[in-house]
Amino acid sequence: MNLNDASLPLPPAPSARDHSEPFKEPAADGHILGGFAWRHIRTDPTRPVVIINAATSVRCRHYARFADYLFANGFDVLTYDYRGIGESRNGSLRHFKASWSDWGVLDFEAMLTRAQREFPGQPIDVVGHSFGGCAAGLAASGAVIRRIVTVGAQFAYWRDYAPSGRWRMFAKWHVVMPLLTALCGYFPGKRLGWLEDTPAGVVRDWSMPTPRYETRPSGRALGNLPFSRVKAQILAISITDDPFGTVAAIERLLGYFDGSERTHLRIAPEDIGENQVGHFAFFRSEYQDRLWPIALAWLQNGQLAADTLGISPNLRFNTPPDPEP
């Protein structure tokens, strides 16, 4: 399988072996979200709880093995699906209203609220994959987050795509996807093998060819962007063969978190003895011994181990996001 594309086999559902239990949580507007919790029997106010934010239209089950790994290393963990996806889908998506800002402002906020209620006093950390890193900056309660690890996190500005595949990706995600969405009333991703079925509003946000989050259709509704509320220590992990997560793309999103201490770690597949890793493979269990310890160390200590593989590019955080072309 080519892990650079967005065709993703669905891992098995979390089971008793994963120490998880399902839950339902209402968002502020009443929409019921579904997810899974890994909870230790004994409470400990010093034990962190990690919320995992999925990539756009990737089910939370994809992160079950990684969640089990964090649980085995002393964390409580919450995974969940955004509205319209997986455990949070209820019926047809035709004309179902949901957007990127809904996923962050309402759905991720609901998880922060649940974490504070179900794990009172415990530190709250976040792992965000792809758009999940952007969602981490959209919740009103973002100030409660202690540490964040993002993986390939960006918001799909086409000029940031890797040059070798930029026009192919533009055609797929910014032409074909919105056309099919307009025809069907939602994006029928499952039938195509392109991730999950996706609400039309999310597709509009994804496919809009603008470099700034606040000029996406649902971004306009946010007014003053809440990213600055986040004061967490952020580690942004990117992989050199990820066509979405280029240096420019990672920097663009990190630039919005201007209230946070930010570190960018860029890893080449050959650093870990692989030919390719791409956008999705980080969370596969085959990388438990080679990549997962990097995220674990950051969540535990807020710093990279001295022998961590990869390099840290020069980041230009004093440069504001690009103006509209």
Side-chain angles (χ1 to χ4, degrees):
M1 181 181 69
N2 182 357
L3 294 171
N4 284 333
D5 65 24
S7 300
L8 188 67
L10 181 64
S15 64
R17 189 175 73 81
D18 298 307
H19 310 98
S20 66
E21 57 185 24
F23 69 81
K24 297 292 183 182
E25 180 71 23
D29 65 345
H31 189 92
I32 303 300
L33 305 172
F36 298 91
W38 283 253
R39 177 196 295 272
H40 288 81
I41 296 175
R42 294 184 179 179
T43 60
D44 182 350
T46 67
R47 178 190 301 121
V49 54
V50 177
I51 302 171
I52 299 179
N53 287 346
T56 297
S57 300
V58 175
R59 297 184 70 165
C60 67
R61 293 179 179 185
H62 178 62
Y63 308 94
R65 299 296 179 254
F66 182 71
D68 204 50
Y69 169 81
L70 294 179
F71 177 82
N73 281 278
F75 293 82
D76 293 317
V77 186
L78 297 175
T79 68
Y80 70 104
D81 282 314
Y82 307 119
R83 62 187 61 205
I85 307 297
E87 309 300 319
S88 301
R89 178 173 177 173
N90 184 16
S92 173
L93 291 186
R94 189 179 297 274
H95 308 306
F96 175 77
K97 295 187 181 301
S99 66
W100 268 354
S101 65
D102 291 333
W103 284 1
V105 174
L106 296 172
D107 299 353
F108 175 53
E109 174 67 17
M111 292 304 114
L112 286 176
T113 299
R114 182 180 182 87
Q116 292 174 83
R117 184 183 70 246
E118 298 292 320
F119 304 91
Q122 295 180 218
I124 298 175
D125 297 335
V126 175
V127 172
H129 181 204
S130 195
F131 169 75
C134 183
L138 297 178
S141 300
V144 304
I145 305 170
R146 181 186 65 158
R147 293 175 186 145
I148 298 174
V149 174
T150 68
V151 178
Q154 34 68 50
F155 48 81
Y157 174 46
W158 69 276
R159 289 184 183 274
D160 288 341
Y161 295 158
S164 60
R166 181 176 297 154
W167 291 110
R168 175 184 58 81
M169 294 172 68
F170 183 88
K172 181 175 183 178
W173 301 115
H174 300 269
V175 178
V176 175
M177 183 169 66
L179 286 175
L180 287 174
T181 300
L183 180 67
C184 299
Y186 70 101
F187 178 61
K190 278 183 135 178
R191 276 181 276 170
L192 298 171
W194 297 8
L195 308 178
E196 292 291 304
D197 294 345
T198 305
V202 171
V203 173
R204 283 192 294 271
D205 283 332
W206 183 335
S207 60
M208 185 67 68
T210 170
R212 299 177 63 167
Y213 180 80
E214 64 267 34
T215 56
R216 304 294 169 115
S218 69
R220 292 190 181 95
L222 292 177
N224 294 324
L225 290 169
F227 291 89
S228 295
R229 299 173 187 163
V230 177
K231 308 300 180 185
Q233 295 174 294
I234 301 176
L235 171 64
I237 298 173
S238 65
I239 309 296
T240 58
D241 72 329
D242 177 356
F244 292 98
T246 61
V247 171
I250 302 302
E251 288 185 4
R252 192 177 301 282
L253 176 57
L254 284 177
Y256 282 87
F257 289 94
D258 55 6
S260 296
E261 174 189 326
R262 295 151 290 183
T263 299
H264 180 188
L265 178 70
R266 192 153 177 83
I267 302 171
E270 51 267 30
D271 290 339
I272 59 170
E274 294 285 346
N275 294 322
Q276 61 177 14
V277 176
H279 191 60
F280 293 101
F282 183 97
F283 295 97
R284 293 173 64 89
S285 56
E286 64 197 80
Y287 295 113
Q288 176 172 327
D289 296 329
R290 290 176 287 173
L291 291 177
W292 293 4
I294 299 171
L296 177 65
W298 189 268
L299 295 172
Q300 289 175 327
N301 306 309
Q303 56 186 313
L304 296 170
D307 59 350
T308 301
L309 299 171
I311 61 172
S312 295
N314 293 321
L315 302 180
R316 298 181 294 275
F317 291 134
N318 291 327
T319 302
D322 292 347
E324 283 295 315

